[in-house]
Amino acid sequence: MKYRGARILIEALKDEGVDLLFGYPGGAILHVYDELFKSSDIHHVLVRHEQAAVHAADGYARVSNRPGVALVTSGPGATNAVTGLATAYMDSIPMVVISGQVHSFAIGNDAFQEADVVGITRSCTKHNYLVKDVRDLQRIVKEAFFLASSGRPGPVLIDLPKDIQEHECEYLPRDQIKIRKRRLYSEADADKIQQAWELLKQARKPLLYVGGGTVLSQASLELMELARLTKIPVAMTLMGLGAFPGTDEQSLGMLGMHGTYFANMAITDCDVLFSIGARFDDRVTGKLSEFSKHSQKIHLDIDPGNIGKCVDIEIPLIGDVKQSLKALLKIVKKDENTLTQYHQQIDSWWQQIRDWQKKAPMTYEQGEKDITAQYVIDRFYRLTKGEAILTTDVGQHQMWTAQFYHFDSPHAWCTSGGLGTMGYGFPAAIGAQLAHPKKKVICISGDGSIQMNIQELATAIEWKTPVIIAILNNRFLGMVRQWQELFYDHRYSEVEMKVLPDFVKLAESYGAVGLRAQVKGDVDKVIQQALQVTDRPVVIDFVTTLEDNVYPMVPAGGAVSDIVLA
Amino acid sequence: MEDNYSKHTITVLVENEFGVLARIAGMFAARGFNIDALAVAPTENSKISRVTLVTHGHERIIEQIVKQLYRLVDVLKVQDLSDEDCVRCELMLVKVSIDSSQKEKVFAILEEYGGRIVDDYQGKILTLEFVKEHEVTEEILAALKSFKILETVRTGNIAMQKGGHEEAFYSADINEINE
């Protein structure tokens, strides 16, 4: 069957199982929107800003483990999408973004709404394509989805000139389209896995350091089995939260700058560190020369580029986390009769960890009147029984959510960990809600962050997504203020939100529910009220204490063991 | 880890796709790696090009360069060639202005380094061609300093592994693409 390019794109997307995409139309993508109009198989979510389209696709991908899809026009449409691409790229989120482009004969002529999108996005996509011939289009779409979701996942962009959307060619069944083979990794080298187990077996103070790769690889069950068999303590990165149950007694919670005291002490003091799908990010390691100095390190990662990038590794395991852990478990099980002895071997390590936990447990203070942010998150946790999907923006509220929502399962946590993108949380929540219509989705945000994509209230109303937006409103850019307080001698430079909208009225003006909590007693009431709403978004303005700080905190540039408790 | 700071010749087989050179150059720029010289041309298979680049850095940096190159989707094969294992050379063209008394000296240099004259303009302006390792062309340039050098062009080193290893990986990768 002969179709024009725009139709081929739609058919190829359907072939990849796409039934939902997020986008914003414009001149250079008109033919595709015309085909969308005619197709009833793909639902299009009209956002109010292209950045939100990409974040929504990102949220959709994180909770469903399927590539998210976004559609934007050329020039400004595509440049608005760049922040979303960079966000997904840093966190290795599978995504395909299609951008319209000016006619191919006009490329390079500074045409209206022309931008060198392939050039601009080269460093924030896993790969990108400029379609120069309609006969390549079907292959490129198939290849884009393959690349986005295989190996280390990531966003892929397809730039589609307007004339190519009109050109016709034969449309083939998907299985007749050949894509080029790529390097694929399944399980790591068997000898290396054996060596890893030999090293772990000798350890007296072992630690599992679990990152987002474990979530992406869907390896939670294997991780749990390894932890149960060996009784090795588990610490997670911000991106790894949920890979192992946060409330489990073997969990040490989050590592790094605002991680728990005991996780950070454990990583400093351990003798064998087993990194699983993590990348030794500076927010985890602190000062590199002081990081986990006494440990031998095993690093399991699907991207060889992550291994040896920041720290020296004794045993590199290059492979898929799930497949490699499966192979490791087989070896561990052969030693099953020696494991009781192993548990005794690491018993004094556990006693040490319990002592650290007693010294500095994760707590917060909540008075009778003024609301603290931690209390709000804690109440959300209790009232949703920890079963909601949480998204955040970036700043203090993000760290408090990571600390106090105790994620027990994977794919229920969307946060911009690598890039740290304010404005991410709300559109990501819309995407997550559309992927899981029956789950409760809560976006924890701040009075600064929420204003970076507040316009998406319109999208959420249109799609009747009952996302709860909890604004922890301290009238400051809290995290920046915290740094200015601690490291710039209280010189609060441009961090006070002197003018804020009335968030309740703002919500109501869009047709959303607006609620406000001013004192502690209001908190449960508004949360319960919000949880009852099923047909529209709810904005809750939590008026919180002004100058609270996130603790524990590893000072910037300091060693992890320099962690400050309060 | 032994951390030697040294020069490396890295050869990269890439798919002949639109923008592949920009991807490689962009990756080097984005991650702060150095490129001292760069040469690109198709291989005998028109779908595959070979990029040869000369870089320098500590062991860890070189290891990262190789790994980051592999992350680029169009990159098929990367080899970090050590000095002992490979043959290397670059092409240099030098245009010199001479008077008749200097001709003998020019011939002596051509003789010594196996160069030749590729263009002779009225016996006064000669374009000389040399094919030697980069370090040797440096020497040649120094020797030619006694004449008036009008223009110099060099390709930068290209390199190839010695012995019979090359073909083995090479044909395997070509098959992958032709599927």
Side-chain angles (χ1 to χ4, degrees):
Chain A
M1 189 71 86
K2 263 196 166 167
Y3 293 143
R4 61 173 180 162
R7 174 82 187 269
I8 287 174
L9 173 69
I10 298 298
E11 296 301 326
L13 289 174
K14 288 193 321 207
D15 281 351
E16 298 301 324
V18 176
D19 54 10
L20 184 74
L21 50 77
F22 303 87
Y24 204 98
I29 195 77
L30 270 169
H31 298 308
V32 174
Y33 272 86
D34 189 44
E35 290 296 337
L36 265 178
F37 185 82
K38 297 174 195 163
S39 165
S40 54
D41 301 322
I42 297 188
H43 301 287
H44 177 275
V45 179
L46 176 67
V47 294
R48 297 302 188 267
H49 187 293
E50 288 90 347
Q51 185 191 346
V54 186
H55 288 329
D58 175 313
Y60 177 91
R62 289 190 205 224
V63 300
S64 69
N65 227 36
R66 294 165 60 194
V69 184
L71 183 63
V72 299
T73 192
S74 66
T79 56
N80 276 344
V82 168
T83 303
L85 286 166
T87 304
Y89 186 60
M90 284 289 263
D91 290 345
S92 308
I93 303 305
M95 183 189 290
V96 175
V97 175
I98 298 129
S99 54
Q101 180 55 281
V102 300
H103 287 86
S104 41
F105 53 78
I107 289 177
N109 287 351
D110 302 323
F112 177 65
Q113 291 196 328
E114 181 187 354
D116 171 17
V117 173
V118 168
I120 289 168
T121 61
R122 199 173 283 133
S123 59
C124 61
T125 52
K126 182 173 172 185
H127 196 59
N128 59 18
Y129 297 90
L130 172 63
V131 186
K132 292 176 136 182
D133 186 330
V134 71
R135 288 168 298 184
D136 295 333
L137 180 56
Q138 220 187 328
R139 170 185 60 84
I140 286 174
V141 173
K142 186 174 173 181
E143 214 167 81
F145 276 83
F146 173 76
L147 286 174
S149 48
S150 63
R152 180 178 181 180
V156 177
L157 176 129
I158 301 170
D159 203 25
L160 186 59
K162 193 167 183 183
D163 52 333
I164 308 289
Q165 297 167 31
E166 279 181 294
H167 292 171
E168 286 195 348
C169 83
E170 201 65 33
Y171 184 81
L172 297 168
R174 184 177 185 272
D175 55 14
Q176 284 180 31
I177 300 294
K178 287 209 162 44
I179 61 169
R180 292 165 196 161
K181 259 203 248 168
R182 307 285 169 184
R183 287 176 295 278
L184 280 177
Y185 297 97
S186 53
E187 63 188 57
D189 181 73
D191 288 345
K192 287 275 191 311
I193 292 178
Q194 183 72 43
Q195 285 173 31
W197 176 232
E198 297 303 328
L199 184 60
L200 273 174
K201 252 197 316 196
Q202 288 164 25
R204 298 194 169 268
K205 299 188 282 184
L207 181 68
L208 303 182
Y209 152 38
V210 173
T214 312
V215 178
L216 290 165
S217 174
Q218 307 194 71
S220 288
L221 285 177
E222 290 76 13
L223 173 65
M224 173 58 90
E225 201 176 353
L226 178 67
R228 282 290 181 268
L229 282 169
T230 58
K231 300 257 193 280
I232 301 175
V234 182
M236 284 163 279
T237 68
L238 178 69
M239 296 304 299
L241 293 178
F244 189 77
T247 54
D248 191 278
E249 58 169 16
Q250 264 177 271
S251 164
L252 307 188
M254 186 168 72
L255 284 160
M257 184 170 270
H258 294 293
T260 65
Y261 172 73
F262 32 97
N264 281 313
M265 291 308 284
I267 207 165
T268 302
D269 204 40
C270 64
D271 63 356
V272 174
L273 182 62
F274 184 9
S275 166
I276 303 173
R279 57 181 175 86
F280 295 86
D281 178 79
D282 58 274
R283 283 294 188 266
V284 165
T285 62
K287 193 177 179 184
L288 268 177
S289 58
E290 297 296 315
F291 174 71
S292 198
K293 275 196 296 196
H294 315 293
S295 66
Q296 291 192 281
K297 296 175 186 72
I298 306 163
H299 191 175
L300 169 55
D301 203 296
I302 201 161
D303 181 356
N306 277 342
I307 292 176
K309 184 175 66 181
C310 306
V311 299
D312 291 342
I313 299 297
E314 275 71 22
I315 302 180
L317 302 177
I318 299 168
D320 173 62
V321 170
K322 189 185 184 82
Q323 301 304 325
S324 303
L325 285 185
K326 273 189 174 164
L328 174 62
L329 282 167
K330 275 190 198 153
I331 301 175
V332 175
K333 281 177 188 162
K334 280 190 203 152
D335 278 346
E336 209 148 14
N337 49 355
T338 65
L339 286 174
T340 324
Q341 192 193 327
Y342 185 67
H343 302 155
Q344 287 162 2
Q345 181 179 318
I346 64 171
D347 187 54
S348 60
W349 173 232
W350 267 114
Q351 284 171 27
Q352 168 74 74
I353 289 170
R354 296 300 179 217
D355 285 347
W356 283 325
Q357 285 177 321
K358 263 178 229 148
K359 184 183 167 191
M362 284 304 292
T363 54
Y364 63 91
E365 280 170 29
Q366 169 62 51
E368 277 312 301
K369 187 161 170 277
D370 293 342
I371 302 169
T372 63
Q374 299 95 318
Y375 176 71
V376 174
I377 291 156
D378 195 15
R379 292 317 297 164
F380 267 113
Y381 175 71
R382 311 273 164 206
L383 295 170
T384 59
K385 304 186 185 72
E387 287 167 0
I389 291 172
L390 271 276
T391 77
T392 71
D393 280 302
V394 169
Q396 290 185 316
H397 70 269
Q398 177 189 30
M399 291 298 114
W400 281 319
T401 309
Q403 291 175 338
F404 291 101
Y405 200 80
H406 315 294
F407 300 88
D408 271 339
S409 53
H411 304 294
W413 170 230
C414 304
T415 197
S416 170
L419 196 69
T421 308
M422 291 169 73
Y424 168 81
F426 179 32
I430 296 173
Q433 182 75 82
L434 290 169
H436 289 301
K438 288 189 179 144
K439 287 200 179 164
K440 197 68 232 166
V441 180
I442 299 162
C443 166
I444 308 282
S445 188
D447 48 295
S449 284
I450 193 60
Q451 293 188 80
M452 287 208 183
N453 266 322
I454 190 91
Q455 77 286 345
E456 297 309 317
L457 275 169
T459 311
I461 291 282
E462 191 174 327
W463 282 80
K464 299 186 166 56
T465 48
V467 170
I468 297 175
I469 302 141
I471 303 171
L472 302 178
N473 185 349
N474 59 7
R475 283 80 78 208
F476 273 116
L477 301 178
M479 188 59 94
V480 184
R481 187 208 54 72
Q482 177 171 342
W483 282 53
Q484 290 178 347
E485 176 191 328
L486 300 175
F487 310 121
Y488 294 87
D489 198 21
H490 289 81
R491 290 189 299 279
Y492 290 170
S493 179
E494 303 297 325
V495 288
E496 195 184 342
M497 296 277 100
K498 288 173 187 158
V499 175
L500 281 172
D502 179 329
F503 287 113
V504 174
K505 281 189 192 156
L506 179 68
E508 285 167 355
S509 77
Y510 275 99
V513 177
L515 301 169
R516 180 171 289 123
Q518 312 221 46
V519 291
K520 185 195 165 197
D522 298 341
V523 172
D524 275 23
K525 227 167 29 193
V526 291
I527 293 177
Q528 266 153 349
Q529 209 176 326
L531 288 171
Q532 299 305 316
V533 179
T534 56
D535 62 344
R536 67 190 70 191
V538 183
V539 176
I540 314 178
D541 184 16
F542 290 97
V543 181
T544 66
T545 47
L546 281 173
E547 297 189 32
D548 204 356
N549 287 338
V550 181
Y551 289 112
M553 180 178 191
V554 176
V560 170
S561 52
D562 296 338
I563 190 163
V564 179
L565 293 177
Chain B
M1 189 194 279
E2 202 184 314
D3 216 10
N4 292 327
Y5 189 86
S6 57
K7 246 186 173 24
H8 285 250
T9 308
I10 292 174
T11 132
V12 192
L13 284 177
V14 298
E15 287 178 50
N16 235 341
E17 285 287 322
F18 161 80
V20 62
L21 187 59
R23 286 183 207 282
I24 292 178
M27 187 278 284
F28 270 72
R31 292 190 183 266
F33 303 144
N34 301 294
I35 299 180
D36 299 328
L38 179 69
V40 195
T43 63
E44 75 280 9
N45 179 336
S46 63
K47 290 180 180 171
I48 296 181
S49 279
R50 185 185 287 275
V51 178
T52 310
L53 48 90
V54 181
T55 183
H56 63 272
H58 293 286
E59 286 295 322
R60 185 191 288 254
I61 297 292
I62 302 298
E63 187 187 322
Q64 268 299 308
I65 288 174
V66 172
K67 286 175 168 176
Q68 294 297 335
L69 280 168
Y70 266 126
R71 292 186 67 203
L72 302 175
V73 166
D74 293 331
V75 168
L76 298 171
K77 182 80 191 173
V78 184
Q79 269 194 309
D80 174 15
L81 298 175
S82 67
D83 290 358
E84 308 82 63
D85 290 349
C86 67
V87 288
R88 298 182 299 162
C89 63
E90 75 173 339
L91 169 63
M92 174 170 77
L93 299 175
V94 189
K95 191 173 280 182
V96 290
S97 167
I98 58 166
D99 57 47
S100 48
S101 69
Q102 293 174 310
K103 234 176 187 161
E104 287 302 313
K105 269 178 83 181
V106 172
F107 284 137
I109 292 171
L110 287 172
E111 175 94 8
E112 186 181 349
Y113 292 102
R116 63 185 184 118
I117 297 169
V118 288
D119 183 47
D120 182 339
Y121 178 71
Q122 298 177 348
K124 289 176 189 159
I125 295 174
L126 304 178
T127 304
L128 313 175
E129 177 203 86
F130 300 90
V131 180
K132 285 287 168 197
E133 277 190 51
H134 178 78
E135 291 70 17
V136 180
T137 59
E138 292 276 271
E139 266 176 54
I140 299 170
L141 266 185
L144 291 170
K145 284 266 164 71
S146 54
F147 313 108
K148 191 177 177 196
I149 296 177
L150 300 176
E151 215 178 342
T152 307
V153 189
R154 302 157 93 178
T155 59
N157 264 343
I158 55 170
M160 186 175 276
Q161 197 174 23
K162 288 178 186 167
H165 306 286
E166 190 79 348
E167 208 181 2
F169 77 72
Y170 198 77
S171 50
D173 282 312
I174 292 171
N175 286 338
E176 236 179 46
I177 284 211
N178 283 345
E179 274 188 11

